[in-house]
Amino acid sequence: MICLHKLSFVRSPVCKKCGKEIEDESMEFCPDCMRHPRAFEYGIALLNYDEAARHSMAQIKYNNKREYLDFYGTALAARYGRTIRRMQADVLVPVPVHATRKKTRGFNQAEILARVIGKKLGIPVIPEMLVRNKKTLPQKDLSAAERLKNLSGAFAAGEIPEGIRSVILVDDIYTTGSTVDAIAEILRAEGVDVICFLSISIGAGF
């Protein structure tokens, strides 16, 4: 069961690029986005990635609590529906997990989340647009150089339907932004002009 009172929902002011909470409302961007040019337009997250969010995400991945994804997808659509529609995305694209991880887990949490949001807002979901070529280490535990090496060759373009110009990536956790950037660069190379993202939680991680 999700303990709502323990969850920390993202509140303004937020970074205009990644959507992470910032302390000073006079600032436009968080320190991460000021340091690193982003390949995506901007993103939105529902929760701050604290201990309660970490526990909830672990319950989904390792204890098969897929019903949590129904709650989070519904909450994202309800809270940010107008903003998501303004993104004018052609499709939602879940961040893929490696085939062996999906086989072990039995599902891709990002895909289930995307389908809940897509159904609520009437946006198609196309998981086949991205392929995960290798299992990667958790980005939050790595240095900037290690993150780049970790993600090198991790993703590839899959079957991209003709005419797709605007995409919203969907994932459960945004920490460093390296994953979204890596995927955005791949999609741009395939002719996608606008890449935004949605995630359940956002933060530096633990």
Side-chain angles (χ1 to χ4, degrees):
M1 185 175 178
I2 297 174
C3 297
L4 279 176
H5 70 280
K6 291 185 178 179
L7 297 176
S8 172
F9 289 86
V10 171
R11 303 292 180 193
S12 295
V14 298
C15 173
K16 291 184 179 179
K17 183 60 74 168
C18 73
K20 192 179 297 182
E21 279 189 6
I22 51 178
E23 294 181 6
D24 188 348
E25 60 184 17
S26 68
M27 295 170 57
E28 286 193 310
F29 306 111
C30 70
D32 275 352
C33 290
M34 284 192 286
R35 281 195 300 267
H36 307 293
R38 299 301 191 186
F40 58 84
E41 311 311 316
Y42 65 99
I44 301 169
L46 185 69
L47 305 176
N48 294 304
Y49 188 58
D50 57 9
E51 184 59 31
R54 186 201 62 76
H55 177 73
S56 188
M57 299 303 101
Q59 289 289 99
I60 293 169
K61 291 180 182 178
Y62 309 119
N63 289 324
N64 201 29
K65 297 290 186 179
R66 295 187 223 188
E67 64 271 22
Y68 288 14
L69 295 166
D70 290 329
F71 169 79
Y72 287 128
T74 299
L76 276 161
R79 184 174 182 184
Y80 296 120
R82 286 184 181 179
T83 304
I84 294 168
R85 287 192 174 96
R86 282 200 299 269
M87 292 174 174
Q88 296 184 317
D90 297 315
V91 293
L92 300 176
V93 180
V95 173
V97 295
H98 191 267
T100 57
R101 190 163 283 162
K102 186 174 182 179
K103 185 177 180 180
T104 301
R105 192 174 295 162
F107 61 95
N108 174 8
Q109 68 280 359
E111 182 175 342
I112 295 175
L113 181 67
R115 293 198 183 281
V116 174
I117 297 168
K119 186 176 181 180
K120 295 287 182 184
L121 300 179
I123 305 172
V125 179
I126 307 184
E128 298 79 17
M129 281 183 59
L130 287 171
V131 177
R132 189 125 187 183
N133 291 323
K134 72 175 186 180
K135 285 196 285 187
T136 51
L137 298 169
Q139 290 289 96
K140 62 185 175 62
D141 298 327
L142 306 177
S143 68
E146 288 170 336
R147 289 172 197 156
L148 291 174
K149 184 178 180 181
N150 190 42
L151 289 172
S152 178
F155 301 100
E159 301 172 23
I160 300 180
E162 191 173 346
I164 299 295
R165 293 290 176 264
S166 180
V167 162
I168 298 177
L169 299 174
V170 180
D171 207 0
D172 56 340
I173 305 169
Y174 175 108
T175 49
T176 66
S178 301
T179 298
V180 178
D181 273 328
I183 292 173
E185 288 175 1
I186 289 167
L187 292 177
R188 286 192 187 282
E190 295 294 322
V192 179
D193 298 320
V194 179
I195 300 105
C196 298
F197 78 84
L198 299 173
S199 69
I200 297 173
S201 56
I202 190 166
F206 287 88

